[in-house]
Amino acid sequence: MTGSKLAVAVAVAAIAGFSITGAQAAGDAAAGQARSRSCQTCHGANGIASMPNVPSLAAQNEQYLLKALGDYKSGARKDDMMSLIVQRLSDEDVANLAAYYAGLGAPQAVPAPAQ
């Protein structure tokens, strides 16, 4: 195999291996729950936000949460508060938080007051 063909083969193998590993890597929801304390101020206890313009995280798709947190960390997604907070998270923290919030039940609708 020539040098360039070998380089392509190695790159393809690395990408395939990363994809498989990434797809199989699931976070630890219990560790995510412990780490979520700093998230609760804005996103609420159990991932249900009560502040306007702050999303609830309960029952969000795990892959979406991984992407969103990764985008805040890389700067691809902008929010001053989230950008500060996510910089302190390791990749393991991000996976654990995503697993925790994805595993929570969907927020229940609050019944309207009787009239």
Side-chain angles (χ1 to χ4, degrees):
M1 198 178 272
T2 66
S4 64
K5 286 183 182 178
L6 178 60
V8 169
V10 169
V12 169
I15 291 168
F18 177 76
S19 297
I20 291 168
T21 302
Q24 292 175 346
D28 178 342
Q33 181 178 16
R35 189 66 171 95
S36 73
R37 288 187 189 105
S38 61
C39 308
Q40 292 177 8
T41 302
C42 297
H43 295 286
N46 299 316
I48 301 170
S50 60
M51 295 171 52
N53 301 320
V54 174
S56 290
L57 301 178
Q60 282 284 357
N61 179 283
E62 189 169 358
Q63 294 302 313
Y64 167 78
L65 292 169
L66 289 169
K67 170 112 173 74
L69 290 171
D71 286 350
Y72 283 122
K73 198 165 190 171
S74 73
R77 193 168 179 173
K78 307 280 188 214
D79 180 86
D80 291 339
M81 183 61 69
M82 283 299 300
S83 296
L84 285 172
I85 291 169
V86 78
Q87 293 309 316
R88 298 185 302 227
L89 299 176
S90 68
D91 290 344
E92 183 178 13
D93 290 335
V94 169
N96 293 343
L97 286 166
Y100 169 64
Y101 284 115
L104 294 176
Q108 300 296 312
V110 177
Q115 294 183 352

